[in-house]
Amino acid sequence: MTCEEAERLVMPYINGSITDEELEGFLKHIEHCPECREELEIYFTVDVGIRQLDEGTGTYNIKGALETALELSRQRIHTLELLRTAVYAVNTLCFWSVLMVLFLQVRIWEQFGF
């Protein structure tokens, strides 16, 4: 992911409207690009600060709130990867199970002369 693409995804990330595929690339880019990370921190600080002013409540540890949000996003990506792996494993088991049933059925038909 380029810096331009990451910068385009800063606000969707903050608003929670980023797709899972975009989120994965965005997080990887943010971890390795200090300029984009700084831009995310600035936008996040402004957005959270404005929301807290509007609501009259909130935490004053905005940097901590960003770290919490990023950690939750990383956990989401990790969970999705585990889910993809589980789906792949189940699909593979189903395929081999169906293949084995067909093989056994053909053997039964052969025994009875069908």
Side-chain angles (χ1 to χ4, degrees), residues 80-100:
L80 288 172
E81 288 173 357
L82 289 176
L83 184 61
R84 281 187 213 124
T85 302
V87 167
Y88 178 76
V90 168
N91 285 340
T92 301
L93 287 172
C94 288
F95 169 78
W96 286 109
S97 297
V98 168
L99 194 62
M100 184 59 76

Side-chain angles (χ1 to χ4, degrees), residues 1 5-20 22-28 30 36-37 39-41 43-44 47-48 51 64-77:
M1 176 174 287
E5 293 170 329
E7 289 170 4
R8 182 182 54 83
L9 294 174
V10 167
M11 285 311 295
Y13 174 76
I14 292 171
N15 296 329
S17 60
I18 192 170
T19 67
D20 293 331
E22 291 172 331
L23 178 61
E24 188 171 3
F26 179 74
L27 289 175
K28 286 179 183 175
I30 291 299
C36 291
R37 172 66 183 242
E39 183 154 342
L40 172 63
E41 289 174 359
Y43 277 92
F44 190 85
D47 186 69
V48 170
R51 286 185 196 181
L66 174 59
E67 292 304 321
T68 300
L70 288 171
E71 184 58 34
L72 289 173
S73 296
R74 287 184 202 102
Q75 288 176 358
R76 176 176 175 77
I77 294 300

